[in-house]
Amino acid sequence: MTFSPAHITALATHPVKGLTEHPLQTAKVEAGAVFPLDRAYAIENGPCGFDPAAPQHISKSKFLVLVRYEDVAQVKCTYDLENKSITLSKPGAEILTLSLETSEGQEALAAYFTAHIGEKAAGPLKVRHADGHAFTDTRSKYVHVVNLESVRALSKTMGIEINPKRFRANIYIDGIPAYEEFNWTDKKIRSSSGVEFEFAKNTRRCAAVDVNPVTAERDTNINKTLYNTLGHMNVGIYLTVLNNGTLSLGDTLIIE
């Protein structure tokens, strides 16, 4: 089977788990690592046993995430990655910029979302971070790829336009058939800029994808549609980065 090159049309990182993505023009990647600052911070939803001196993978259910709290999507975030700051905005409230590095900024961020979701929280909210740790949904460190044509096929099946940002990928690709990415399991994958990848696994979705990133409403049942039509609940794939390099918009992924 011959595979056409997949064009990289968007790159993104998610500095705070569950919050708005940050678009990138380029991304410097390292072997065995996630995207720069991807899920580097998370908002703990009640004590979960996280130890910043010895960070370990902890289930996403212990953090403030969309799978449980669609209200989180009402807050739109932008980031200054160089200064590691976050700017928060929502209707009827003042725009607020906070440092993600300082204890004062982290406490203010936790207080902001405590006020935002109120009694829905499972426990005290606290911003968590550890150098080199990523609060990903997986124990291993991957980059997440979503094929836009697969999203279009899902949109056609559901009869509505599905925003690809629901799937919170790092790399968005286009120019290949829907679901072709699931056939990359034993292939060599490299970017036109020289970054090499290894297929890790398909991305099994959770109910977080049902939250509309624009309206913050839980307005679909994507997993039910996927299972009923395709027999699985996968959108996107995880890849392991094999060498250091730089990805840029306009690069292609070459599959051999």
Side-chain angles (χ1 to χ4, degrees), residues 11-256:
L11 300 167
T13 188
H14 307 77
V16 182
K17 185 177 183 68
L19 303 189
T20 312
E21 69 173 27
H22 179 78
L24 300 168
Q25 296 295 311
T26 62
K28 292 183 178 181
V29 295
E30 297 181 0
V34 299
F35 258 36
L37 283 183
D38 198 41
R39 280 82 171 182
Y41 301 85
I43 304 175
E44 182 184 64
N45 187 18
C48 68
F50 180 76
D51 181 0
Q56 299 291 328
H57 176 265
I58 293 178
S59 170
K60 63 185 173 185
S61 65
K62 302 298 184 180
F63 300 100
L64 197 66
V65 288
L66 295 173
V67 66
R68 293 181 62 185
Y69 303 99
E70 63 268 22
D71 294 354
V72 169
Q74 294 172 354
V75 180
K76 309 306 179 187
C77 309
T78 57
Y79 304 89
D80 180 338
L81 298 189
E82 183 176 353
N83 295 308
K84 295 183 181 178
S85 66
I86 183 172
T87 298
L88 310 166
S89 63
K90 64 178 181 178
E94 293 184 2
I95 296 174
L96 182 64
T97 299
L98 303 169
S99 171
L100 290 170
E101 287 196 295
T102 66
S103 57
E104 293 82 5
Q106 293 175 4
E107 289 169 4
L109 180 58
Y112 184 97
F113 278 96
T114 298
H116 180 65
I117 67 171
E119 296 181 354
K120 295 180 181 179
L125 302 186
K126 183 176 182 178
V127 175
R128 290 298 202 171
H129 171 72
D131 289 342
H133 182 71
F135 294 90
T136 54
D137 290 352
T138 58
R139 292 184 179 276
S140 299
K141 294 181 178 180
Y142 303 130
V143 298
H144 184 210
V145 180
V146 163
N147 177 5
L148 295 179
E149 190 61 27
S150 298
V151 179
R152 294 187 193 105
L154 178 61
S155 297
K156 184 176 180 180
T157 298
M158 298 187 71
I160 59 174
E161 184 175 353
I162 300 296
N163 189 331
K165 291 184 178 181
R166 288 179 186 252
F167 304 105
R168 303 180 63 77
N170 300 121
I171 304 172
Y172 295 89
I173 57 173
D174 211 347
I176 64 172
Y179 311 120
E180 183 174 278
E181 65 277 17
F182 296 144
N183 297 320
W184 294 358
T185 51
D186 58 349
K187 303 302 178 184
K188 293 182 179 179
I189 306 167
R190 61 181 174 87
S191 73
S192 54
S193 59
V195 180
E196 297 179 355
F197 304 91
E198 182 178 65
F199 186 98
K201 61 179 181 177
N202 296 335
T203 310
R204 189 178 187 276
R205 308 317 312 201
C206 67
V209 298
D210 293 320
V211 179
N212 188 314
V214 177
T215 66
E217 296 175 344
R218 199 176 294 275
D219 59 3
T220 59
N221 194 334
I222 287 174
N223 282 331
K224 182 178 180 181
T225 299
L226 287 169
Y227 188 78
N228 288 343
T229 58
L230 300 176
H232 61 70
M233 296 186 291
N234 303 324
V235 177
I237 58 174
Y238 287 118
L239 302 180
T240 302
V241 180
L242 298 180
N243 65 325
N244 298 353
T246 301
L247 297 172
S248 302
L249 294 183
D251 284 355
T252 56
L253 294 184
I254 300 162
I255 316 303
E256 298 174 328

